[in-house]
Amino acid sequence: MSLRNTVRAFPTLLKVGFSEAVAYRAELLVWVLSTTMPLIMMALWTAVARTAPVGRFGQADFVGYFLATFAVRQLISSWAAWLINWEVKQGTLSMRLLRPISPLWAYAAENIAAFPMRLVVAMPVTVLGVVFVGWQVVPRSAVGWVLFAVSIVGGWLITFLTNAIIGSLSLFMDSSQKLMEVYLVLFFVCSGYMYPVELFPEGLRSLIDWLPFRYQMGLPTELMTGAHETAEALRLLAFQWGWVTVLAVGTTVVWRYGLRRFAAFGG
């Protein structure tokens, strides 16, 4: 499983993953439809802001924020935890282990390969945001776009690595899907997915600032809608990539120790 083999095989894995994403586009569409919670929250919060702004958010600001949230959700998604759980339970993980690269790279390639399909969904929503709200729903400078792109990569890595850790825990137990469900509840509450993080009470927001959820979802949305100056954006990106580093180390450790316990039987 050398780095050289991984680099050489990764383009092929991306091609295979893209073919699977196209072949299973109906399933992908169902997955996208399951992420429409921001659109529901947009309707609720714009109703709340009808008479007076909530914090700095008026009705138009909530529309822009939640359309950006929907678009960002498409770009940072990963389903590695469910896939690892299923393959461990079925024993098919053994087939991946016979290949000359780590299965983690294969899972990553399959998730990345679906990115163009998800971009097809995210782009029209972003255009709608510009039409209905204005250019404040997208970065308004080249630096802003670069910071947003970096935050999307960081947000996706946090999502994937968290999925990989929770999926790898299925090597120690019958299934880690319940843990994933708990994680998703925390994600919905603390990430800015259902409401902007800055609307939390000060004490709770200070706690959330130290957790990974905001850097997974909320930070890319905030940078997309221009909520921070460059210096503050860089500080938050440093936090985000700190979490990426911690989760990468955690994934490596849990995966390697978990594989020692893996056993598949067939006939």
Side-chain angles (χ1 to χ4, degrees), residues 38 41 45 65-66 68-70 186-198 200 208 213-219 221-222:
M41 299 308 296
W45 280 102
Y65 179 87
F66 284 112
T69 301
F70 180 81
L186 293 173
F187 167 78
F188 290 151
V189 174
C190 302
S191 68
Y193 186 59
M194 299 176 70
Y195 26 79
V197 171
E198 64 187 86
F200 278 98
I208 289 174
F213 308 104
R214 178 189 181 189
Y215 306 101
Q216 181 181 355
M217 176 87 235
L219 179 60
T221 303
E222 293 163 12

Side-chain angles (χ1 to χ4, degrees), residues 248-259:
V249 173
T251 301
T252 303
V253 172
V254 175
W255 177 257
R256 287 183 177 177
Y257 277 95
L259 282 184

